[in-house]
Amino acid sequence: MRRAWPLTARGTGAVLLAVACFIAANEAGLVELVYFGALLLIAVAASLGSLYLTRHAETVTRTLYPDVATVGREAQVSVRAGVRTAVPTPPGTWRDVLPRGLSGSAEGVFPALGSGLSRNERIIDLSYTVQGAARGVHALGPLTVRATDPFGLARRTTVFGERTPVTVVPSTTDLPPLADFAGETGGSLHTTTNQLGQGADNLVARPYEPGDSMRRIHWRATAHRDQLMVRQEEQESTPEASVVLDRGVLRWSMDAMRAPGADPGFEAGVSAAVSAVARLVRDGYAVEVLDSDGTVLAERIDGGDMDEVEIFLTHVATLTARRDDTLGKLPRVFAGVMTGPVIVVVGRFDAADAVTIGPVAHHSTLPMLFSVMPVGDALERAADAGWRIGAIDVDGDFSRAWSGAAGRGVRHVVG
């Protein structure tokens, strides 16, 4: 980060001119040239001293708003540097080094500073805007400041502070609510109820039975039915959904296992999966996120708990593919159970895979299958087995595939 030669072109010329004056003074016997050459060297030395004997950074802190960056969205970075200087310093330029996971312009003018003899530290606040470029945890910084002396003879590039880790989470597409397709889902979108003898919400009336407390008499229902009625409470139970992200590297590329953000196809799959999770939670489902072998990728997220969705996004920021191919184990994960929506996101998907996971569709009220790289008529064969299908376009809008699969059943929709 530091330049080997600390002088500017003007400073280098001054040194060369001073040397030439000394040579000419020796050849021509002109003492005045010696004085002039010495004056030039003194000026250069003073310029170097004004830069290298002043301006020391004690602390550098960075704050990101929001706390995590999102692929494709902007975030604001605030940098606070505590600087000490014994003598006034001229303005310079600053630049914060951006990792590959962030893009933007992180540079500007570093202000001139007055003497710090009367106080210990001067606080400098800088800010800039970045955009998430690649999922993962990336190191932001260090901050570098480049300054020249007032005469433009010398320059100094100083590294301020340490690097700051920044988490970049996958992009989330705002999907249409499944409530728009209630007629297609077998009624699983709504909360189910179990009648109990206790509770305080969702009251219904039933005929009075010996032993019922008089405090539970429902007077309006009693008057309406002309018989003694009591309040019967109902307890709500949350419908469940599952989102499956197949991470087998053979269905993506080796880059998907190397680092987050390295394989565009895998990134599209991750984005589709987290978008589905966010939509289902917002619709009131309790969602579990699984790998195709049943491995839990995130703890159960209760319906409506969007704060947990944000935590989930942070958790998958470092998710990569794995070496095993376990899509064939998916039928065992759902064997013997009947559940709500099951959303499966996979990379390469062929006709043999459609046969293998076909039985899973019969264990879900809303089986939806999305593939980034469908082979031949594999998706159509999956649709014949009961799946609602969609192809994920790496550069497209996932909401189109989602709407098509949820609303039109077995139609192959690219989004």
Side-chain angles (χ1 to χ4, degrees):
M1 300 298 294
R2 298 179 183 272
R3 295 179 178 272
W5 182 246
L7 300 181
T8 64
R10 183 183 299 176
T12 302
V15 171
L16 294 177
L17 182 58
V19 172
C21 288
F22 292 146
I23 295 174
N26 182 58
E27 295 293 332
L30 297 175
V31 179
E32 291 81 1
L33 290 179
V34 175
Y35 296 150
F36 182 70
L39 182 61
L40 288 174
L41 292 181
I42 292 172
V44 172
S47 297
L48 287 171
S50 68
L51 294 177
Y52 283 83
L53 297 179
T54 61
R55 186 181 285 169
H56 301 282
E58 301 293 333
T59 58
V60 173
T61 58
R62 296 178 182 85
T63 304
L64 191 71
Y65 181 80
D67 294 337
V68 295
T70 303
V71 173
R73 297 183 183 177
E74 291 186 344
Q76 190 75 20
V77 180
S78 297
V79 183
R80 171 161 288 193
V83 183
R84 289 180 176 178
T85 177
V87 298
T89 60
T93 59
W94 63 269
R95 182 174 68 90
D96 217 6
V97 179
L98 298 181
R100 71 173 185 87
L102 297 171
S103 62
S105 177
E107 57 187 14
V109 176
F110 198 86
L113 300 176
S115 173
L117 295 177
S118 60
R119 48 192 168 184
N120 294 329
E121 191 175 64
R122 173 85 177 272
I123 301 299
I124 304 298
D125 290 318
L126 312 169
S127 66
Y128 56 93
T129 301
V130 295
Q131 186 177 59
R135 184 174 57 89
V137 178
H138 309 278
L140 179 60
L143 176 70
T144 61
V145 175
R146 182 180 179 184
T148 58
D149 69 286
F151 300 106
L153 300 177
R155 62 190 167 201
R156 182 188 183 188
T157 300
T158 308
V159 178
F160 284 1
E162 301 296 330
R163 297 181 178 179
T164 301
V166 174
T167 301
V168 181
V169 301
S171 62
T172 304
T173 303
D174 188 12
L175 302 177
L178 287 177
D180 292 349
F181 315 104
E184 303 281 350
T185 62
S188 67
L189 296 177
H190 302 288
T191 301
T192 59
T193 58
N194 297 317
Q195 293 188 346
L196 300 174
Q198 58 184 0
D201 299 320
N202 306 308
L203 303 180
V204 296
R206 65 169 175 80
Y208 173 85
E209 295 178 1
D212 287 337
S213 173
M214 296 299 292
R215 291 179 298 178
R216 295 176 56 201
I217 293 178
H218 196 306
W219 295 108
R220 180 178 299 177
T222 296
H224 179 71
R225 300 197 181 187
D226 200 25
Q227 65 173 324
L228 201 60
M229 305 290 291
V230 296
R231 295 189 300 269
Q232 170 67 57
E233 291 87 359
E234 294 180 338
Q235 183 180 25
E236 294 186 351
S237 61
T238 304
E240 297 182 346
S242 302
V243 175
V244 179
L245 174 63
D246 181 63
R247 297 165 56 214
V249 70
L250 296 180
R251 300 184 179 278
W252 307 97
S253 74
M254 295 304 294
D255 288 339
M257 191 171 61
R258 179 171 56 86
D263 175 23
F266 188 70
E267 295 309 300
V270 171
S271 178
V274 299
S275 298
V277 170
R279 180 68 267 169
L280 290 168
V281 171
R282 191 175 287 113
D283 281 347
Y285 288 98
V287 181
E288 60 176 356
V289 187
L290 309 172
D291 202 338
S292 54
D293 63 350
T295 301
V296 177
L297 299 181
E299 296 297 330
R300 169 184 160 126
I301 305 173
D302 292 331
D305 193 347
M306 299 309 296
D307 290 337
E308 284 297 322
V309 173
E310 296 297 327
I311 296 174
F312 164 69
L313 290 176
T314 303
H315 176 72
V316 300
T318 56
L319 193 69
T320 58
R322 56 183 176 78
R323 194 171 300 277
D324 298 332
D325 182 12
T326 59
L327 186 62
K329 297 181 180 180
L330 188 61
R332 277 185 270 172
V333 176
F334 293 95
V337 299
M338 188 65 187
T339 185
V342 174
I343 317 299
V344 178
V345 178
V346 67
R348 183 184 56 82
F349 186 79
D350 58 28
D353 298 323
V355 174
T356 300
I357 69 169
V360 178
H362 303 292
H363 295 270
S364 168
T365 59
L366 182 63
M368 299 173 69
L369 172 66
F370 300 96
S371 172
V372 176
M373 294 172 284
V375 178
D377 63 347
L379 285 180
E380 283 73 14
R381 294 195 178 198
D384 292 339
W387 289 96
R388 299 167 182 268
I389 58 173
I392 301 173
D393 184 355
V394 174
D395 300 317
D397 184 1
F398 177 60
S399 62
R400 292 184 56 209
W402 173 268
S403 297
R408 290 187 285 273
V410 296
R411 181 176 177 181
H412 182 186
V413 180
V414 178

